[in-house]
Amino acid sequence: MNVKEIRDMSNEELNKQVEALKNELYGLRFAQATGSLENPARMKECRKTIARIKTVLTERANEIAK
């Protein structure tokens, strides 16, 4: 998911997306611990997407605070 797609979403959608990605990341960590993780690069991708979404949410909160 790129930044343009993230900026087009509403705050509620972004919060739901963060929760979904956190759940996916939890599953990926569990799979890694059990040795059944097939695509370890997906973990990095999930973390970066979560960070992008949180950055956009913070930017929006700062705009409102001004």
Side-chain angles (χ1 to χ4, degrees), residues 25-42:
L25 188 57
Y26 177 78
L28 291 170
R29 285 184 182 140
F30 188 84
Q32 183 182 28
T34 60
S36 62
L37 183 62
E38 294 181 8
N39 186 5
R42 180 68 184 141

Side-chain angles (χ1 to χ4, degrees), residues 3-65:
V3 177
K4 184 176 183 322
E5 293 172 352
I6 293 171
R7 290 189 191 280
D8 291 339
M9 297 172 78
S10 70
N11 286 349
E12 293 107 20
E13 291 174 329
L14 292 176
N15 287 325
K16 288 179 186 176
Q17 188 71 26
V18 167
E19 289 303 316
L21 287 168
K22 283 184 178 182
N23 288 334
E24 181 182 355
L25 188 57
Y26 177 78
L28 291 170
R29 285 184 182 140
F30 188 84
Q32 183 182 28
T34 60
S36 62
L37 183 62
E38 294 181 8
N39 186 5
R42 180 68 184 141
M43 290 178 67
K44 184 177 180 180
E45 185 179 330
C46 283
R47 285 195 312 263
K48 286 190 172 216
T49 304
I50 291 170
R52 284 185 191 109
I53 292 172
K54 286 188 173 188
T55 299
V56 170
L57 288 171
T58 302
E59 287 174 351
R60 289 180 183 176
N62 288 341
E63 285 296 318
I64 292 171

